[in-house]
């Protein structure tokens, strides 16, 4: 996420970092400005685990009266223990998918006014290893936000990434006639990140893989 924001800023784009942790967000802004003092970059508060926060962010962004040509939905949690958000939904599902879904809905009018525009959903190849249908082939909503008894962190992550792709495909179908395209992308396995931090087993596996990964 940081490298994407930095690259866009260094290419002259006006970049807004939507951050849950404003201290880290402000640090990221300063790191970008240190590379190019004329970069147009700022941080704003956005916590995808709170639908109220998503609404407040969208309202604050709209008050700026600036166009939105690129919206990158990049935030994700991985391997997180079961928990519910303040909205009563399983956290991985809300942070990885539903929060982004709601954000795009709130900003759809700005995207259409800013045409040509695009939405980029950062998904994962892990979407291939799950299903969100029941035995009769119908969408099973209980699989999306499971109870603690039915929860497995890896499956929750996979399902949220599948939702990202289904959403992106439908969004593109609906908005491309208005000059707004949507694509889902797999970021690759060769860039090291801290996404594994929620469980020591994943940390160990990622550490073993580190010598074979690339850095920026």
């Amino acid at each position: 996420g940081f490298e994407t924001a930095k690259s866009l800023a260094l290419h002259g784009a006006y970049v807004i970092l939507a951050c849950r942790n404003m201290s880290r967000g402000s640090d990221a802004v300063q790191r970008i400005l240190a590379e190019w003092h004329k970069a147009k970059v700022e941080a704003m508060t956005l916590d995808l685990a709170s639908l109220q926060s998503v609404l407040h962010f969208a309202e604050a962004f709209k008050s700026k009266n600036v166009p939105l040509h690129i919206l990158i939905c990049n935030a994700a949690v991985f391997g997180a223990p079961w928990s519910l958000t303040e909205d009563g939904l399983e956290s991985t599902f809300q942070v990885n998918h539903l929060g982004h879904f709601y954000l795009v809905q709130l900003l759809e009018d700005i995207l259409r006014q800013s045409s040509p525009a695009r939405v980029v959903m950062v998904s994962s190849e892990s979407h291939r290893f799950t299903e969100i249908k029941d035995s009769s082939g119908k969408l099973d909503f209980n699989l999306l936000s499971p109870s603690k008894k039915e929860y497995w962190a890896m499956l929750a992550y996979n399902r949220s990434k599948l939702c990202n792709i289904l959403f992106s495909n439908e969004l593109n179908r609906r908005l491309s006639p208005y000059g707004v395209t949507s694509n889902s992308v797999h970021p690759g396995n060769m860039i090291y990140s801290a996404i594994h931090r929620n469980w020591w087993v994943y940390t160990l596996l990622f550490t073993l893989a580190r010598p074979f990964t690339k850095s920026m």
Side-chain angles (χ1 to χ4, degrees):
F2 172 75
E3 295 296 338
T4 301
K6 183 178 74 171
S7 179
L8 289 169
L10 296 184
H11 279 84
Y14 170 31
V15 178
I16 293 177
L17 304 174
C19 303
R20 176 175 58 87
N21 185 320
M22 279 304 291
S23 176
R24 293 180 63 186
S26 298
D27 178 64
V29 169
Q30 293 306 313
R31 287 166 62 191
I32 293 172
L33 291 173
E35 294 206 26
W36 186 36
H37 72 280
K38 292 184 179 181
K40 295 175 288 185
V41 57
E42 65 175 290
M44 292 175 60
T45 302
L46 172 61
D47 183 357
L48 293 167
S50 164
L51 297 181
Q52 189 70 24
S53 176
V54 177
L55 177 61
H56 287 163
F57 172 85
E59 291 174 341
F61 178 83
K62 289 181 177 181
S63 71
K64 291 180 175 292
N65 293 314
V66 294
L68 178 59
H69 294 292
I70 306 175
L71 175 59
I72 302 176
C73 298
N74 175 71
V77 292
F78 171 80
W82 183 88
S83 66
L84 294 178
T85 67
E86 64 181 49
D87 303 296
L89 296 163
E90 189 278 310
S91 295
T92 299
F93 170 65
Q94 180 165 335
V95 172
N96 292 8
H97 171 64
L98 194 63
H100 288 130
F101 178 93
Y102 187 39
L103 178 65
V104 174
Q105 302 306 303
L106 293 172
L107 298 178
E108 180 181 329
D109 55 339
I110 304 295
L111 286 164
R112 289 172 61 162
Q113 292 166 20
S114 305
S115 173
R118 70 182 67 179
V119 177
V120 178
M121 298 295 305
V122 180
S123 183
S124 170
E125 283 288 345
S126 64
H127 81 277
R128 300 181 186 279
F129 308 113
T130 190
E131 186 55 85
I132 54 175
K133 296 178 182 178
D134 60 22
S135 57
S136 63
K138 295 181 179 180
L139 180 64
D140 186 349
F141 288 101
N142 292 322
L143 294 176
L144 299 181
S145 184
S147 65
K148 187 174 183 178
K149 183 176 67 175
E150 303 294 328
Y151 179 77
W152 184 34
M154 193 67 217
L155 264 181
Y157 178 80
N158 295 352
R159 286 168 180 157
S160 70
K161 296 290 103 178
L162 177 56
C163 288
N164 287 162
I165 291 174
L166 295 173
F167 171 49
S168 179
N169 289 351
E170 179 63 15
L171 188 70
N172 188 74
R173 187 186 72 81
R174 295 189 184 197
L175 296 190
S176 56
Y178 303 99
V180 182
T181 58
S182 179
N183 292 278
S184 52
V185 299
H186 173 55
N189 297 317
M190 297 301 289
I191 296 297
Y192 186 80
S193 75
I195 196 172
H196 55 77
R197 62 187 176 273
N198 285 303
W199 192 29
W200 70 268
V201 173
Y202 290 128
T203 299
L204 176 61
L205 291 174
F206 276 71
T207 300
L208 293 173
R210 184 71 187 271
F212 307 99
T213 63
K214 297 177 181 178
S215 70
M216 294 305 295

